[in-house]
Amino acid sequence: MRDFIFFIKGNFRKLSFGWMLTFLSSFGQTYLISLYVTEISAEFAITEGNFGAIYAICTVAASFIMLTVGHTVDHISVKKVTTFTVLCLAFSSILMGLSYHIAFIFIGLIGLRLTGQGMLSHISMTILSKFYDENRGKAISFSTLGFSSGEIVLPLLLTLFIGWFNWRWAMIGSGILLILYLIRLYFTDLTHFNKQLSKGRPSSLSLIKDFGSIVNDKRFLILMPTSFAISFTVTAVIFYQYVFVDLKGWSPQLYAAFFTGYAVTRLLFSLAGGVWVDKFSAKKMFRFYLIPLTLGLLAFALINSITGALIFLLLMGVTVGMSGTIKSSILAEVYGIEKLGAIRSLFTMFMVVSTALGPLIVGLMIDSGYSIKTIMLSLFGFLVVCVLNAQRIKGIQTSGVTR
């Protein structure tokens, strides 16, 4: 940990940029958008289930657009890509706040999911994976602290803002905040990240060929399911967490306090994950990091008291905390960094799709009358299969060139 502190001190300016991007990505993440679900559903006279379907459609649309733009971080200057992404995220947020027709909600949600959850996270992880080699784990783990910071700070602030004003002003205010960040970005020197840029823009045909070769490769069938499973499970549970709390008869206030424990655990294991990746390699960590979340689902299913929720949230924090560092680092280890932006965009697409399918499928299970125990055990079984599949990584050779 001492080496980690020295590393952060020596690279703080570069690392803080990555942290800021993951922090700002919060405005397109499920946990913040979920704050607006009730108000938007009531104002547009739709059910929360219908809003969930709209959300799923927009998320899937955003994931496919991601394939066409994710490669830009490989060959366009980091400042240009980031500026355009933040500007689009701000526009999407303001559009949501000003929308008086459901069509604009569609457009706004696609923008939030594409630029927030998708591109800002993608830019941060890609440039740090390319720039750092021996300390890649530490760099990415520091960047992922932006996710935890957003989870701790922004829900409280936006909830208060919505209470004082309304959801529209909260959306517009978020957009204005993002525009203000662009002023700071204008004076930020990011030329050091441009040293890793590829020459020339890939053609559409070459991208299709690259994506096809990745999907048909054994490595993809080992790496993708685990990434998909985490996003699928965590998003679904968080999206319906207070539905589960109500059905279980637990105290919402106590559960909310436990959720803070999740955020703190995620933060701590974001740091630990970076140290362990640099020490043991992402390839070794990949085999085991899904296990805590898997065991947490078992506790949620079998323990009727709210203690089950506490165990689940803490174990989820362990897996989610390490996941950002491990998932980004292993792509660089296995594939190398030359086309890392395009490769990450493909994996990000499947991750984003999973965040749409998770709430949709679990919502259908709830509507069909499945018990919480059955839902959690189903997710547990799914993750067990993914853990077993992850063991196949032992037979995969790492890339000879990572930088």
Side-chain angles (χ1 to χ4, degrees):
M1 189 59 72
R2 184 180 179 183
D3 291 340
F4 198 176
I5 294 173
F6 282 126
F7 172 71
I8 293 173
K9 286 183 178 180
N11 296 269
F12 185 75
R13 287 189 177 181
K14 299 180 183 70
L15 298 177
S16 62
F17 174 69
W19 178 94
M20 180 58 72
L21 294 190
T22 58
F23 179 81
L24 294 179
S25 77
S26 299
F27 292 103
Q29 301 281 4
T30 298
Y31 71 88
L32 272 195
I33 296 174
S34 66
L35 297 177
Y36 303 100
V37 172
T38 302
E39 287 80 3
I40 293 176
S41 299
E43 186 151 341
F44 287 89
I46 57 176
T47 66
E48 293 181 1
N50 286 337
F51 184 84
I54 292 172
Y55 185 73
I57 292 170
C58 293
T59 299
V60 171
S63 71
F64 283 104
I65 298 173
M66 181 78 192
L67 278 181
T68 67
V69 298
H71 64 86
T72 54
V73 73
D74 284 333
H75 55 85
I76 297 178
S77 74
V78 173
K79 181 175 283 190
K80 287 182 180 179
V81 174
T82 304
T83 298
F84 185 74
T85 302
V86 173
L87 189 62
C88 289
L89 180 59
F91 171 78
S92 299
S93 187
I94 294 172
L95 179 64
M96 287 282 288
L98 297 176
S99 61
Y100 284 91
H101 191 280
I102 197 68
F104 294 105
I105 295 294
F106 268 94
I107 297 172
L109 282 174
I110 291 173
L112 290 176
R113 301 297 281 158
L114 171 63
T115 57
Q117 183 194 34
M119 279 299 292
L120 284 184
S121 303
H122 174 66
I123 295 168
S124 176
M125 300 302 171
T126 302
I127 63 173
L128 293 179
S129 294
K130 286 188 171 189
F131 191 79
Y132 293 98
D133 187 359
E134 293 181 0
N135 293 300
R136 181 181 292 125
K138 298 185 186 71
I140 295 174
S141 66
F142 182 85
S143 175
T144 60
L145 294 181
F147 295 126
S148 303
S149 302
E151 289 171 345
I152 294 171
V153 175
L154 293 177
L156 177 61
L157 292 178
L158 284 177
T159 299
L160 291 174
F161 205 85
I162 292 171
W164 287 335
F165 301 97
N166 56 47
W167 72 271
R168 291 186 178 278
W169 279 112
M171 281 285 188
I172 294 171
S174 298
I176 292 173
L177 181 65
L178 289 162
I179 291 174
L180 291 176
Y181 170 69
L182 291 177
I183 299 174
R184 173 72 180 88
L185 181 62
Y186 179 80
F187 295 100
T188 303
D189 180 17
L190 300 175
T191 53
H192 41 270
F193 289 125
N194 294 333
K195 296 176 182 178
Q196 303 295 332
L197 293 179
S198 303
K199 294 181 179 180
R201 183 182 187 278
S203 66
S204 298
L205 182 60
S206 66
L207 279 175
I208 292 172
K209 289 181 178 179
D210 287 340
F211 291 146
S213 63
I214 293 169
V215 172
N216 291 320
D217 192 282
K218 179 182 177 181
R219 293 173 292 183
F220 178 79
L221 297 178
I222 296 173
L223 298 175
M224 189 280 289
T226 299
S227 176
F228 183 96
I230 293 176
S231 302
F232 179 95
T233 303
V234 172
T235 304
V237 175
I238 290 178
F239 197 82
Y240 291 109
Q241 59 188 335
Y242 285 102
V243 174
F244 297 143
V245 168
D246 182 57
L247 292 174
K248 286 269 195 177
W250 293 338
S251 165
Q253 293 77 19
L254 186 56
Y255 181 87
F258 288 167
F259 195 82
T260 302
Y262 155 73
V264 173
T265 304
R266 174 177 178 172
L267 187 149
L268 293 175
F269 278 86
S270 293
L271 294 173
V275 175
W276 292 337
V277 163
D278 288 339
K279 183 176 182 180
F280 303 110
S281 83
K283 182 180 175 182
K284 290 182 180 178
M285 295 295 298
F286 179 80
R287 295 171 55 197
F288 307 108
Y289 80 112
L290 198 59
I291 293 175
L293 175 60
T294 306
L295 296 176
L297 287 167
L298 197 60
F300 204 125
L302 301 180
I303 300 176
N304 291 323
S305 71
I306 199 169
T307 304
L310 176 61
I311 294 172
F312 167 74
L313 288 170
L314 293 178
L315 290 176
M316 181 171 72
V318 174
T319 291
V320 175
M322 294 188 293
S323 67
T325 303
I326 294 172
K327 289 189 297 182
S328 293
S329 297
I330 198 167
L331 292 181
E333 286 185 15
V334 172
Y335 290 104
I337 66 170
E338 183 180 355
K339 298 181 179 180
L340 189 58
I343 292 168
R344 281 201 84 260
S345 69
L346 182 63
F347 278 84
T348 301
M349 184 205 76
F350 280 95
M351 181 273 292
V352 175
V353 168
S354 73
T355 64
L357 293 179
L360 181 62
I361 292 176
V362 171
L364 290 173
M365 293 180 75
I366 293 172
D367 291 344
S368 298
Y370 286 94
S371 67
I372 298 174
K373 182 178 180 179
T374 300
I375 293 172
M376 293 301 166
L377 287 178
S378 299
L379 294 173
F380 168 77
F382 174 45
L383 292 193
V384 168
V385 173
C386 291
V387 170
L388 294 175
N389 180 64
Q391 306 313 306
R392 299 166 61 207
I393 195 69
K394 290 187 293 183
I396 299 299
Q397 296 295 320
T398 54
S399 173
V401 179
T402 59
R403 182 167 185 170

